[in-house]
Amino acid sequence: MDSLQRALAEQAGQPLIVLLQAGDLNIGAYDPFAELIPLAHRYGAWVHVDGALVYGPLPAPGCGT
C-alpha cells in the first residue's frame, strides 16, 4: 500500500484510476477495499472494482457423466 500511496502522490493533479480486484479465477483473492478506496479518493483517483469468480467447469446439458 505504501508504493500505491507514493505513486498517487507523485501523480497528484493528473487523471488517475485505481483498479481493484474482487475475486479472481484461481483462488478468489480480493484487494483490501476498506483501505484502498479511501486512499484513492484522497488523491482524487477514480476507483474501478473488477470481479471474476468461477466455480469450476460445468458439463453441457446432455453430455453425460
Side-chain angles (χ1 to χ4, degrees):
M1 194 158 96
D2 291 335
S3 59
L4 176 60
Q5 186 169 2
R6 279 193 301 276
L8 290 170
E10 290 172 4
Q11 302 298 318
Q14 297 184 36
L16 301 169
I17 186 167
V18 173
L19 304 173
L20 302 177
Q21 184 67 27
D24 68 10
L25 294 174
N26 296 314
I27 61 173
Y30 60 91
D31 290 318
F33 308 125
E35 299 170 16
L36 296 176
I37 292 172
L39 176 63
H41 287 169
R42 189 176 317 138
Y43 290 96
W46 297 331
V47 175
H48 174 79
V49 179
D50 191 44
L53 294 175
V54 68
Y55 295 104
L58 299 174
C63 284
T65 55

